[in-house]
Amino acid sequence: MDILARIQAASITAPCLAPQHHHKHLQQLCFPMSTGHHFSCFYMHQNHFPVAMPGHPCRIPSGSIRCQSGAVEAPEMQDVKFSKSMLSFDMGKDRLSKVPASQIRNFSIIAHIDHGKSTLADKLLQVTGTVSDREMKEQFLDNMDLERERGITIKLQAARMRYVAKDGEPYCLNLIDTPGHVDFSYEVSRSLAACEGALLVVDASQGVEAQTLANVYLALENNLEIIPVLNKIDLPGADPERVRNEIEEIVGLDCSEAIFCSAKEEGIGIQEILESIVAKVPPPKDTSMNPLRALIFDSYYDPYRGVIVYFRVVDGSIKIHDKIQFMASGKEYEVDELGVLSPGQMQVNELFAGEVGYLAASIRSVADARVGDTITSSANKAGMALSGYQEAVPMVFCGLFPVDADQFGELREALEKLQLNDAALKYEPESSSAMGFGFRCGFLGLLHMEIVQERLEREYGLNLITTAPSVVYRVQCADNTVVECSNPCELPEPGKRVWIEEPFVNIEMITPKEYIGTLMELAQERRGEFKEMKYITESRASVIYILPLAEMVGDFFDQLKSRSKGYASMEYSLSGYRKSDLVRLDILINGEPMDPLAAIVHKDKAFAVGRALTQKLKELIPRQMFKIPIQAAIGTRVIASESISAMRKDVLAKCYGGDISRKKKLLKKQAEGKKRMKSVGRVEVPQDAFMAVLRLEKEVV
């Protein structure tokens, strides 16, 4: 017999001594703690969920309990108090027990970066006993090292919690976490579509930020019940009343019942948050009798079990060994494993409408089970898929090349493995005369690009060079065809194209009023078109511009933070394509074009960019035995030029006198040799020079 069976065999029935439960008969389980001979107890209801009653003394009759460590005598009528760590006893089993749809609450937490979303999620897991004190660590739901270092959520998670409310009823709370960056706004929208409510977490010292607004609008589009929560009220600079007024003025939410909390300081307000979720978030509709429809809100690749799909059952039910179909991809599979996330994976036999869980079905590619797709039963198919599904479309492109050419095969394998986990990552082979073989990769945004590059270097031990990021341009050719081009080298010749369109974005910057001027200047420098400015409060304003995406993928965000001393925040969304006066800028070294350094730039900025690149290359390329011209050209027209003078051997050193014709003959012979050397010689641009120029190009382009 295991320890639990021994405990249950030794248990006795007695009336509950807790004051609020005098009228109920409960089962009392007594067992020794792991250290010493102290006792703790739980009162178990008839339906086997624990009633959390810390601090109530209970009387244990004399007797003994057989344990693996032997018999331990219970002292006569010993007073025992509940231990805080014992509140999670057997909670894993209880979280799996079925509850009616009316007692399920599906909610999400939305917040700007660094407003305490992950810390609040940690505290909710801890208070509900989902994670024990021993297992708890900061940012519990953030599994990647990168997430912990940067303090952001990249890969969303879900957690099923069991909470006994003040009304004495057990509730199943499903927390669906969301990524916190604008690059992953589609994933956020699908997570919110799987919920009925959301906690809007706002830092009580910083107030409403750009990402706060964007996420609130997404939540309102999905008709969610929004509960305002003011976090970090324990900070010295916190002003919750001001922030509460801000939310009412900007967002238009009624904040009269906003919850003041501090997720770090002893969990102030956490109990109120849980009660508010139970009271205000509507339960899912009980549609278990309808044909199966489940919304996929995330998926990842497991090397042993294939793709693991996270989903919310909207209609019907799903059980193990069911044959299912993904409606967007049309692929069919048999469910091998089914379970809930709490927050680890715990297997169950069946999930019903309103519940959140995961499944494994030997799926080989994440592309077969994309975020936003609908799962239905192969035998009893749903008539219509759930709305909102979109294919992931890369917005930013760059070239990835290994520093060591021998690592090309390893880079290809690493990208294949990463793509198994990340359906938004696109790549195709690319070759360069300067940097050899590599890949042209497409990403959702700049953060996505940085994450992929860092994961390739960390997890696969690769040393990479990245070219300057570019966007997708649309080119109208003379033969009435439209070509999409992300690589400057693929841009048609000037004679073959009619016009070029580039993507524009609506960008909203929220800033203290003293930085309005400097941020407007930044937007104007980047070809921005002023749209609107409004004061959110007396001290803060929202400035909206229409900006070319190409101008934003460089160092725009860094400049925004630098010019506002870190106080401004931004949010952007794609507004469409517009015609622009764009040209391809080529860099030629000794007459040879350097493809990795080519860029598509606006005609008005071409001279400044060309001048900056040629000057930087002159500093970095080592001198040769012949003169090296460095040119920036648009087509055949050179717009900026520098030259590196040749290293010169003194051929006249041996001439101690004599006729001048002898010296002229030697100099002429040297010039002819240098001319021949220049025609056949190749300039090797060192890798560090390339990397330095690419860094500069990212700034100036």
Side-chain angles (χ1 to χ4, degrees), residues 473-476 491 494 497-504 526-527 548 550-551 577-585 599-607 609 634 637 639 701:
Y473 298 94
R474 288 180 185 163
V475 185
Q476 174 74 41
L491 192 70
R497 62 178 189 251
V498 181
W499 42 255
I500 304 174
E501 285 185 328
E502 64 175 331
F504 276 70
R526 304 300 175 98
R527 297 193 284 132
E551 297 285 347
Y577 277 77
R578 292 186 184 185
K579 292 180 186 177
S580 294
D581 193 3
L582 301 171
V583 293
R584 173 177 152 179
L585 182 69
I600 297 173
V601 296
H602 195 269
K603 195 172 183 179
D604 295 344
K605 297 183 73 177
F607 175 75
V609 173
I634 300 172
R637 186 167 69 92
I639 59 168
V701 175

Side-chain angles (χ1 to χ4, degrees), residues 522-535:
L522 171 65
Q524 297 286 1
E525 287 172 3
R526 304 300 175 98
R527 297 193 284 132
E529 178 186 315
F530 177 74
K531 191 175 179 184
E532 185 185 358
M533 184 181 83
K534 56 188 176 186
Y535 276 86

Side-chain angles (χ1 to χ4, degrees), residues 597-645:
L597 299 179
I600 297 173
V601 296
H602 195 269
K603 195 172 183 179
D604 295 344
K605 297 183 73 177
F607 175 75
V609 173
R611 171 64 63 197
L613 291 175
T614 52
Q615 287 177 347
K616 190 69 176 176
L617 281 167
K618 183 181 179 181
E619 296 172 17
L620 295 168
I621 295 175
R623 290 174 70 191
Q624 307 289 324
M625 295 299 291
F626 52 90
K627 184 181 178 181
I628 304 170
I630 303 168
Q631 299 165 317
I634 300 172
T636 55
R637 186 167 69 92
V638 175
I639 59 168
S641 179
E642 295 285 343
S643 62
I644 301 172
S645 57

